[in-house]
Amino acid sequence: MKIQSIILGEVDATESEILTFDNGLPGFENERNFILLSIEGNEVYQILQSINSKEVGFVIANPYLFTSDYTFELNESSVEALNIESEEDIIVLTIVTVKEPFNTSTVNLKAPVIINTKSKKAKQCILENADYPIRYSIEANMQKDKG
């Protein structure tokens, strides 16, 4: 199938790549089906793209690339909603708020996107018992990469 992305243009996708957010994403409750798209030449960032609306796409990244001590426990309802049987079945991503210049961009550590790679269910989970910022600077990590 062909997916339209305002960021990457037209891309090919398969049914097996579709991630289902049963309740959408906060602010985008009607958008329930997304795919992860790679950005050519970039191993840090990806696009979480709606398969229905080319305008709805989010830059995402692995939070552990920015902070190695990122830990949390999902509440039981999230574990059930995502059909999580094992920690190895999930990947954790964070939404990037892109700013100009890019090194001033931030990641949302308070509300990670959790994806069950087996069931293809996904959810943005707001961490209730963790004191992580909504706007965590990526600049410090970018400096380490240069150094």
Side-chain angles (χ1 to χ4, degrees):
M1 75 171 63
K2 301 281 186 195
I3 304 294
Q4 298 295 323
S5 167
I6 204 160
I7 300 168
L8 298 176
E10 186 175 87
V11 295
D12 288 315
T14 63
E15 291 284 333
S16 65
E17 294 176 284
I18 297 174
L19 304 171
T20 302
F21 288 76
D22 287 340
N23 300 309
L25 289 163
F28 298 90
E29 288 78 10
N30 293 329
E31 298 292 337
R32 298 192 178 185
N33 296 306
F34 289 81
I35 59 170
L36 283 176
L37 300 173
S38 296
I39 301 171
E40 191 174 326
N42 189 317
E43 295 179 13
V44 175
Y45 304 99
Q46 294 176 289
I47 305 298
L48 181 63
Q49 178 65 53
S50 165
I51 67 167
N52 298 315
S53 301
K54 71 178 180 180
E55 298 83 9
V56 181
F58 303 93
V59 177
I60 57 167
N62 178 336
Y64 301 101
L65 296 174
F66 305 101
T67 178
S68 59
D69 61 352
Y70 187 56
T71 60
F72 57 88
E73 285 191 34
L74 291 177
N75 61 36
E76 193 59 37
S77 66
S78 293
V79 171
E80 288 176 16
L82 293 168
N83 298 332
I84 298 171
E85 296 176 3
S86 168
E87 194 174 317
E88 289 77 37
D89 295 344
I90 65 167
I91 56 173
V92 178
L93 299 169
T94 52
I95 294 179
V96 178
T97 300
V98 177
K99 299 180 182 178
E100 285 292 331
F102 187 79
N103 67 335
T104 63
S105 297
T106 59
V107 292
N108 182 348
L109 297 180
K110 184 70 174 174
V113 174
I114 311 298
I115 300 170
N116 183 330
T117 58
K118 285 188 174 179
S119 69
K120 300 295 185 185
K121 288 200 171 269
K123 180 178 181 182
Q124 186 174 19
C125 299
I126 298 171
L127 303 178
E128 298 163 8
N129 297 325
D131 194 25
Y132 289 114
I134 293 171
R135 293 176 192 90
Y136 183 82
S137 174
I138 66 169
E139 189 168 24
N141 183 67
M142 292 177 74
Q143 295 302 319
K144 283 191 267 183
D145 287 347
K146 293 177 184 175

